[in-house]
Amino acid sequence: MGRVSLVIGTLSAGAIALAGATGTTSAPASADPGPPPVGHDLPKVPVMRGAGGAVASVDPIVSQVGIDVLERGGNAADAAIAMAAAVGVVEPYSSGIGGGGFFVHYDAATGEVETIDGRETAPATFDEDVFTEADGSAMDFDTVVNSGLSVGVPGTPATWELAAKRYGTTSLNQLLRPAEDIARKGFVVDQTFHDATADNAERFAMFPDTAKIYLPGGEPIKVGAVLRNKDLAKAYRQIRTHGTSALTRGDMGRAIVDTAQHPRTAPGVTVPEGQITMADMRAYRALVKEPTHAEHKGLDVYGMPVPSSGGIAVGEILNLLESYEERTGKRTEDLDDGEWAHWFAEASATAFADRNRYIGDVPGVPADELLSQDFADERSCLFSEDRAMTRPVPFGDPDGSYGDCGSATERTAVGAQDVHTTSLTAVDKDGNAVAYTLTIEQFGGSGMVVPGYGFLLNNELTDFNFVPVTEGVPDPNLPGPGKRPRSSMAPTLVLEDGTPWMTAGSPGGATIITTVAQLVAGVVDRDLTIGDALAAPRVSSRNGPSTQLEPTLADGPVGDHLRSLGHSTTKVDRLGNATGIRIHDRDDLEAAAEPTRSGGGSAMVVSPRR
């Protein structure tokens, strides 16, 4: 394959400058006097099949880091941690040290699936009125996003530290060395990264420490230029050598708190101040939790529990598809594309109705009932092959007592939702598997870089609903002290007879749920290869007024069919940016990433088939 290894901690002698991979820049590469940027000349391969271990991510540098770890004897958890750290360098607008995420792990030795909840937390001073004006109305959303008030206590470093200790075979010190190396030596920008910078240039310009990195000379970074983020390299070195104490007791943590409490802004710019304290930083814990579990077509589907809504909603969608089969006597694999899009849109709208009503970081979320097939059977009463349900669909009553048809009539709105994330996955030669989704929320998070440390802070607290979304209906996703905002991230592991069969994950805010469910259902229900399921055009109905369709669906017979059934449709450029691995057996792994969405992703295996 001509693959060039990015050795942990050092760049191998054969490494050459990256040609066309995602990156960041500060000066044209030809004019930059520093060392050659880290990278390789591999193309972005969307599907690769082989043995010895497999990874998939948004970027070939990131995937190469994961493959290097696996080739040197590391396991899937080691690879996922190293990859996640590298993503924080080459795709800093979607993830990094200043954010949080969810880690789903399968242990081949025990057969157990566990999750790590690394979601950001609200300060101890937060209450339900923190995002309201004096008259009780919600604050302006964009104003809160670009401010210290949106910043939650970061959870990503604690996730890495816990995952390395609990599941890994390599020290966190070693696993973060490639990311430090990439940040110090730099890499080359592509068109996708330039465009993302240009889209955020106005708000990045509000914060001088951000503009200094991403708007050199006052302009968005240019394609082909190189960024060497020495401050970010320093941040990784501190976490490597001191672990999370760098954030809980060190200068880095104090810099995070100071940035949130006293944002450094351009002349004439004022933004709301945050409330994070060092006590909040010290109180943070990444939490090991039992996964959600649903059964689908003889397979076990495991995902993230609350505060994520991803595991529950994905499972309910799959359950509803089975219920629709039972009601209609049809099989999903026999549906034409228009029928399939209608079935999926109805199932996802129904699941979102229940998600929005019941799921949040609160006691008593009825997760087991929401994931029960009996509940899905009752909810399927609303389904018709010949017409779309009126939106918003009413939420159900997951009380454990189900009949042929529920009587729910109450409805609730969608509310807040996370926006941009990244998702990666790894399977090793021994059968351990990881699906990991992490985020800083919007592209560019809060827009604020921590001075001296080079990473962006999240705006995750805007994932809370600022005010109750529906008058008179309890809202589980209002802010509160130490609370974790509801998320849609849905890293997923699918097992057959107790061993991994498939992994799946995606960024994309609330569309994560519909993307992951379509990826799993595409392989399981539609009998597609994982590459074809991942590349297939997508639909997303989240119980709002309109069903979103990618262009090839919106402008063709599928869109016409949906509209004939009463769906209101909206065309969107893309839905999700997924990754997955199909495990045919221990020596036959099929890794898949996007072929075109967001410039395409990168799938790799240790020993490709020839």
Side-chain angles (χ1 to χ4, degrees):
M1 294 294 296
R3 187 171 62 223
V4 176
S5 179
L6 301 177
V7 180
I8 293 179
T10 61
L11 187 65
S12 63
I16 63 173
L18 174 65
T22 302
T24 55
T25 69
S26 61
S30 60
D32 197 312
V38 170
H40 52 76
D41 61 352
L42 283 176
K44 290 183 176 180
V45 178
V47 178
M48 190 177 291
R49 191 164 178 172
V55 301
S57 79
V58 297
D59 188 274
I61 289 179
V62 174
S63 294
Q64 186 65 60
V65 166
I67 288 295
D68 288 348
V69 171
L70 295 178
E71 285 184 326
R72 286 162 179 78
N75 65 15
D78 296 326
I81 295 164
M83 292 165 69
V87 172
V89 183
V90 302
E91 199 180 74
Y93 300 162
S94 65
S95 66
I97 293 169
F102 297 123
F103 192 100
V104 183
H105 178 266
Y106 170 82
D107 189 319
T110 64
E112 293 183 357
V113 179
E114 287 187 336
T115 76
I116 297 178
D117 171 4
R119 184 66 159 161
E120 303 89 336
T121 58
T125 53
F126 260 39
D127 59 29
E128 290 189 356
D129 300 320
V130 70
F131 294 131
T132 62
E133 303 286 5
D135 63 359
S137 63
M139 294 177 65
D140 176 70
F141 183 80
D142 289 336
T143 297
V144 178
V145 166
N146 301 298
S147 79
L149 194 58
S150 71
V151 180
V153 178
T156 290
T159 301
W160 295 343
E161 186 172 71
L162 179 57
K165 289 180 178 178
R166 192 172 183 87
Y167 311 124
T169 63
T170 309
S171 70
L172 187 64
N173 187 311
Q174 290 178 284
L175 294 174
L176 300 191
R177 290 183 71 184
E180 179 189 337
D181 198 46
I182 297 165
R184 185 177 63 254
K185 295 184 177 182
F187 49 92
V188 181
V189 72
D190 69 356
Q191 189 69 48
T192 300
F193 194 92
H194 166 82
D195 292 348
T197 309
D199 289 344
N200 286 277
E202 184 175 350
R203 68 192 195 99
F204 284 178
M206 296 168 59
F207 305 104
D209 296 293
T210 307
K212 181 173 63 176
I213 298 173
Y214 300 116
L215 304 174
E219 297 293 331
I221 51 180
K222 293 180 172 59
V223 175
V226 176
L227 172 68
R228 296 182 176 92
N229 192 336
K230 294 182 180 178
D231 288 345
L232 182 56
K234 180 179 76 173
Y236 278 113
R237 177 168 288 273
Q238 288 196 6
I239 298 172
R240 279 180 53 214
T241 54
H242 300 290
T244 54
S245 64
L247 281 76
T248 59
R249 303 190 181 279
D251 289 342
M252 188 190 308
R254 286 185 281 272
I256 291 171
V257 169
D258 186 65
T259 302
Q261 288 188 357
H262 309 290
R264 288 167 40 160
T265 57
V269 175
T270 302
V271 301
E273 295 180 342
Q275 298 181 18
I276 292 177
T277 66
M278 283 303 294
D280 294 319
M281 298 290 288
R282 288 192 294 271
Y284 185 84
R285 298 291 185 274
L287 305 173
V288 175
K289 295 182 174 180
E290 291 295 316
T292 62
H293 174 242
E295 295 181 5
H296 186 62
K297 303 291 181 71
L299 300 170
D300 294 292
V301 182
Y302 293 96
M304 277 305 306
V306 294
S308 176
S309 62
I312 295 173
V314 167
E316 185 177 348
I317 290 170
L318 298 175
N319 287 343
L320 284 163
L321 292 172
E322 288 197 35
S323 298
Y324 296 169
E325 287 184 318
E326 183 68 23
R327 283 192 176 273
T328 64
K330 294 182 177 180
R331 302 187 308 169
T332 49
E333 58 261 44
D334 296 331
L335 301 175
D336 65 33
D337 289 345
E339 290 173 317
W340 167 248
H342 172 60
W343 282 40
F344 188 85
E346 299 297 85
S348 59
T350 303
F352 266 86
D354 299 324
R355 165 207 190 258
N356 299 338
R357 167 60 185 87
Y358 295 108
I359 301 176
D361 187 15
V362 294
V365 174
D368 289 343
E369 294 301 329
L370 291 169
L371 283 166
S372 73
Q373 190 64 54
D374 288 342
F375 178 65
D377 291 345
E378 181 178 271
R379 296 290 279 143
S380 70
C381 174
L382 301 175
F383 175 74
S384 169
E385 295 183 81
D386 302 321
R387 67 182 183 278
M389 291 182 280
T390 300
R391 306 301 201 262
V393 176
F395 55 82
D397 186 8
D399 60 359
S401 177
Y402 307 116
D404 182 61
C405 193
S407 58
T409 58
E410 290 188 283
R411 307 166 191 266
T412 188
V414 173
Q417 52 189 284
D418 44 6
V419 180
H420 289 289
T421 63
T422 191
S423 195
L424 55 91
T425 184
V427 175
D428 62 38
K429 61 181 175 57
D430 296 318
N432 301 293
V434 172
Y436 185 18
T437 307
L438 58 161
T439 184
I440 57 172
E441 216 270 346
Q442 294 208 182
F443 246 32
S446 65
M448 300 188 300
V449 162
V450 179
Y453 293 94
F455 59 86
L456 286 153
L457 286 177
N458 70 83
N459 66 294
E460 215 64 63
L461 301 185
T462 57
D463 267 2
F464 287 121
N465 296 332
F466 287 13
V467 296
V469 295
T470 305
E471 186 176 354
V473 177
D475 190 330
N477 192 40
L478 295 175
K483 193 173 178 180
R484 302 181 185 216
R486 181 173 62 202
S487 171
S488 299
M489 291 184 284
T492 300
L493 298 180
V494 181
L495 273 60
E496 181 180 47
D497 298 327
T499 59
W501 189 86
M502 177 181 175
T503 72
S506 178
T511 69
I512 292 172
I513 290 168
T514 53
T515 295
V516 171
Q518 276 171 102
L519 178 54
V520 174
V523 177
V524 178
D525 292 65
R526 303 287 280 169
D527 199 27
L528 300 175
T529 68
I530 190 167
D532 288 345
L534 198 147
R538 295 179 185 137
V539 55
S540 183
S541 185
R542 305 186 299 282
N543 208 30
S546 182
T547 295
Q548 293 182 330
L549 303 172
E550 290 187 323
T552 56
L553 298 181
D555 296 334
V558 170
D560 292 340
H561 179 71
L562 291 178
R563 289 184 285 271
S564 75
L565 299 181
H567 289 272
S568 173
T569 65
T570 301
K571 181 168 65 174
V572 295
D573 289 339
R574 65 179 177 87
L575 292 167
N577 184 9
T579 58
I581 299 171
R582 176 73 171 86
I583 303 99
H584 299 282
D585 61 50
R586 286 266 182 104
D587 297 318
D588 187 5
L589 307 173
E590 188 175 9
E594 294 287 354
T596 58
R597 293 180 182 94
S598 298
S602 173
M604 293 186 184
V605 296
V606 171
S607 300
R609 282 187 173 180
R610 301 294 180 178

